[in-house]
Amino acid sequence: MMDLRQGALMLLGPTMNAKVAFELSERIPHLGLRMKEHCNRAMVYATRMKKMGLKVIYPGLEEHPQHQLLKSLANKDYGFGGLLALDMVTEDRANKLMNQLQNVTQFGFMAVSLGYYETLMSCSGSSTSSEMNEEEKEVAGISPGLIRMSVGYVGTLDQKWAQFEKAMSRMPK
């Protein structure tokens, strides 16, 4: 089984498909540039969302309880990551906003997996954390309207922000 020349490992892995290996080798050189933009946009969006009066959770914001710890650990060039959470309080409001963002303004896509070059979002309480009971969600800080967002880097920052603002303006008060 372990013989790399004749065993199952040689036939079933751990070698990568040649096409996949080539595609990865083409993308790796600019991964740093993509990650910088991913993280920068998350910080800009979190700051602007907060200014709009929205409840946003992002470790780059000074009021985040672990901001100082993360600041001491973070790579200065990459900031605090490209994921943020936006609390719309109720699942209904979260779903209405995500519907606007995906289907009206084309800001991003609803998805469970959050790794892509486009902005992806998920209402955690009813998707990835749906197996947790209400008490466990409360302890974990997952409200019914919590949207996790992986900020993409497609289009200009101002263009994407305008799409977000348009979606928010269409939300019922």
Side-chain angles (χ1 to χ4, degrees):
M1 176 109 163
M2 298 300 288
D3 184 332
L4 292 178
R5 289 164 192 61
Q6 298 176 25
L9 281 178
M10 189 272 303
L11 297 172
L12 303 175
T15 59
M16 191 180 298
N17 171 307
K19 183 176 186 279
V20 172
F22 173 75
E23 289 173 351
L24 280 173
S25 72
E26 291 292 300
R27 294 181 183 143
I28 296 257
H30 21 82
L31 177 61
L33 294 172
R34 295 192 316 264
M35 289 306 298
K36 284 179 184 179
E37 188 62 16
H38 176 56
C39 298
N40 175 59
R41 287 186 185 207
M43 183 66 182
V44 171
Y45 291 170
T47 303
R48 290 179 181 180
M49 288 174 182
K50 183 182 165 205
K51 284 182 183 172
M52 291 176 82
L54 298 171
K55 182 179 178 189
V56 65
I57 303 162
Y58 182 68
L61 297 175
E62 289 187 13
E63 64 273 5
H64 188 279
Q66 294 178 316
H67 174 78
Q68 288 303 320
L69 171 64
L70 292 166
K71 187 175 180 180
S72 72
L73 298 172
N75 180 319
K76 307 288 184 266
D77 292 333
Y78 294 94
F80 295 88
L83 294 173
L84 60 86
L86 177 61
D87 194 345
M88 297 302 290
V89 184
T90 68
E91 184 179 342
D92 183 58
R93 283 188 55 78
N95 286 329
K96 283 180 180 169
L97 177 59
M98 289 190 304
N99 181 57
Q100 290 289 319
L101 291 169
Q102 175 177 289
N103 300 318
V104 177
T105 68
Q106 288 75 48
F107 175 80
F109 299 103
M110 290 181 262
V112 176
S113 173
L114 298 178
Y116 196 49
Y117 58 87
E118 291 276 3
T119 295
L120 300 178
M121 57 210 150
S122 168
C123 184
S124 298
S126 60
S127 61
T128 55
S129 302
S130 61
E131 75 286 348
M132 298 170 75
N133 65 40
E134 295 307 313
E135 185 180 319
E136 291 170 324
K137 288 178 188 176
E138 187 175 327
V139 168
I142 302 170
S143 81
L146 189 71
I147 298 172
R148 288 185 315 141
M149 188 178 291
S150 172
V151 177
Y153 48 84
V154 173
T156 69
L157 192 146
D158 290 335
Q159 171 197 28
K160 294 311 244 182
W161 182 250
Q163 292 169 329
F164 182 84
E165 286 181 313
K166 180 179 178 184
M168 285 302 299
S169 73
R170 298 173 59 101
M171 289 292 292
K173 301 292 179 205

